[in-house]
């Protein structure tokens, strides 16, 4: 069973809009060929459209509906005040090509955001341009490359990436044409230092370290790692997408990292997951300051008690150029600005402390039922094995069965270094009742796996659609909004 598409609901002559009277004179088009002869738009009344989309929205699951412990994605509740501020008319109705004197408020906000992110991370400079985390990584890798080249150091072509890194790290370095050297993790989930030393030489661009790593663990030797990489002339990249455990507690810049991206759409409460705009600012230490993308927002004329400062643009000397039109995703930045302003320094520290507490509480409730291979104090998330001894129930089955208990499944089969991985990130915005209900459901599912394995292996049972053929969905992705005529679906 499937819903009719908006095209199938269409009926000739129905209409949902009334165009206002034109307030400009009519002209014939100078070139008729610019017009399409046919434009097969669906024809529906307003009520049909509203019902269609309302119905679809009810089949969806989101963080405003329930618990969403999708590891690495930080699906925290996004306060609605962020939506109010980013819709303020002054922001919405301004344009980046307006004269600079007329957008001083916007520039002040961007400037202050640069400053706040510097303070939070311990870096010397920040660009707000990158559109998302992976885009921030690519920006960072471009700067690392430019740094070495500017010193005439042209031998460096290798990027070191531990096997506990997020998958975007090797992908970003690969896009730059660098070769990837993978370093294994040790039994405590730290980077294997001997393997790292062996890999470091004068052909290394640097290292990309996800810390906390994808096991949810803070590398206990991070300062040694930074030193080893610096000693061979490499630069240290920090993947700061998951800053949710570190706010107000540790600053990557202080640890010696040279460059790091933030994911505003994770840690700093910009809604994500539906493919909407994110934001991946990048912070750099002194070594990379001159290479930041341009323009940066700067004070071009100091103010005094009566006159506010004049904000404008600044181009670093050896800039790698522009990474994004204008100033990046402004609306996303306004949301995060609001989030930071509402929390303040102490509030941000609370965020991280509760995020870590919640993850450790869940791990404590589950470790007698499921195996946690690297079982030590975790940060904002942890990874357990989604298998039940004595049964052939897999992580995928457990993930699907959780949907029958009204929970979004955790990230599954990632990271690759844990067998049948289920990666659980509760975030700080969940209360103890929710965490307990989730732990109870997972413990119940482990029982079901023993007493009624078919129930778990054929889940979900309560959702509108049953288990999808995931291979077919990936191989035969249907991306158009209407279905081909010969398409058949049960
Ligand atoms: C989400 C994430 C990324 C990638 O961020 P995008 O905005 O999805 O490109 C990179 N690293 C880590 C650790 C992440 O969790």
């Amino acid at each position: 069973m499937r819903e009719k598409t908006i095209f199938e609901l269409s009926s000739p002559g129905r209409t949902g809009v009334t165009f206002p009277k034109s307030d400009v004179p009519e002209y014939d088009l100078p070139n008729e060929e610019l017009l399409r002869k046919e434009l097969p738009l669906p024809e529906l009344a307003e009520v049909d459209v509203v019902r269609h989309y309302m119905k679809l929205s009810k089949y969806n699951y989101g963080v405003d509906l329930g618990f969403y412990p999708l590891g690495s994605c930080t699906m925290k509740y996004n306060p609605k005040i962020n939506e109010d501020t980013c819709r303020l008319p002054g922001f919405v109705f301004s344009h980046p090509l307006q004269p600079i004197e007329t957008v001083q408020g916007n520039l002040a906000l961007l400037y202050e955001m640069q400053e706040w992110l510097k303070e939070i991370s311990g870096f010397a400079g920040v660009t707000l341009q990158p559109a998302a985390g992976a885009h921030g990584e690519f920006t960072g890798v471009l700067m690392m490359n430019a740094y070495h080249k500017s010193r005439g150091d042209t031998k460096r072509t290798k990027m070191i990436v531990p096997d506990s890194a997020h998958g975007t790290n090797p992908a970003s370095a690969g896009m730059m044409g660098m070769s990837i050297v993978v370093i294994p993790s040790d039994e405590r989930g730290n980077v294997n230092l001997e393997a790292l030393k062996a890999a470091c030489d004068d052909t290394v661009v640097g290292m990309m370290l996800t810390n906390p790593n994808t096991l949810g663990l803070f590398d206990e030797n991070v300062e040694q790692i930074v030193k080893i990489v610096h000693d061979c002339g490499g630069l240290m990249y920090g993947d700061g997408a998951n800053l949710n455990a570190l706010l107000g507690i540790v600053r990557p810049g202080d640890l010696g990292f040279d460059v790091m991206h933030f994911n505003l759409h994770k840690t700093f409460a910009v809604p994500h997951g539906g493919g909407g705009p994110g934001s991946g600012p990048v912070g750099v230490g002194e070594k990379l300051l001159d290479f930041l993308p341009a323009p940066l927002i700067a004070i071009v004329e100091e103010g005094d008690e009566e006159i506010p400062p004049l904000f404008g643009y600044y181009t670093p000397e050896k800039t790698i150029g522009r990474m994004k039109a204008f100033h990046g995703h402004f609306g996303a930045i306004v949301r995060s600005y609001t989030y930071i302003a509402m929390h303040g320094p102490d509030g941000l520290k609370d965020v991280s402390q509760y995020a870590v507490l919640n993850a450790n509480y869940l791990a404590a409730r589950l470790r007698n039922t499921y195996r946690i291979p690297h079982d030590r104090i975790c940060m904002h998330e942890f990874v357990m094995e989604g298998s039940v001894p004595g049964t052939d129930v897999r992580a995928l089955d457990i993930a699907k069965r959780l949907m029958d208990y009204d929970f979004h499944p955790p990230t599954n089969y990632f990271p690759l270094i844990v067998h049948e991985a289920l990666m659980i990130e509760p975030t700080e915005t969940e209360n103890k009742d929710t965490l307990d209900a989730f732990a109870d459901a997972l413990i119940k599912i482990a029982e079901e796996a023993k007493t009624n394995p078919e129930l778990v292996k054929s889940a979900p049972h309560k959702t509108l659609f049953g288990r999808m053929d995931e291979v077919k969905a990936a191989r035969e992705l249907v991306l158009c909004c209407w279905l081909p005529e010969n398409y058949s679906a049960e």
Side-chain angles (χ1 to χ4, degrees), residues 121-123 222-223 225-227 229-230 234-238 250-260 284-287:
S121 62
F123 284 111
V222 63
E223 280 166 312
I225 293 171
V226 173
K227 181 164 187 320
V229 173
H230 280 166
L235 293 170
M236 203 57 204
Y237 188 99
V250 66
R251 305 196 310 165
D254 298 342
L255 292 174
F257 284 85
D258 299 294
V259 46
M260 182 192 86
V284 297
E286 297 290 342
K287 280 183 217 163

Side-chain angles (χ1 to χ4, degrees), residues 276-297:
S279 179
V282 174
V284 297
E286 297 290 342
K287 280 183 217 163
L288 295 180
L289 258 186
D290 282 347
F291 298 90
L292 277 170
L296 296 168
I297 314 301

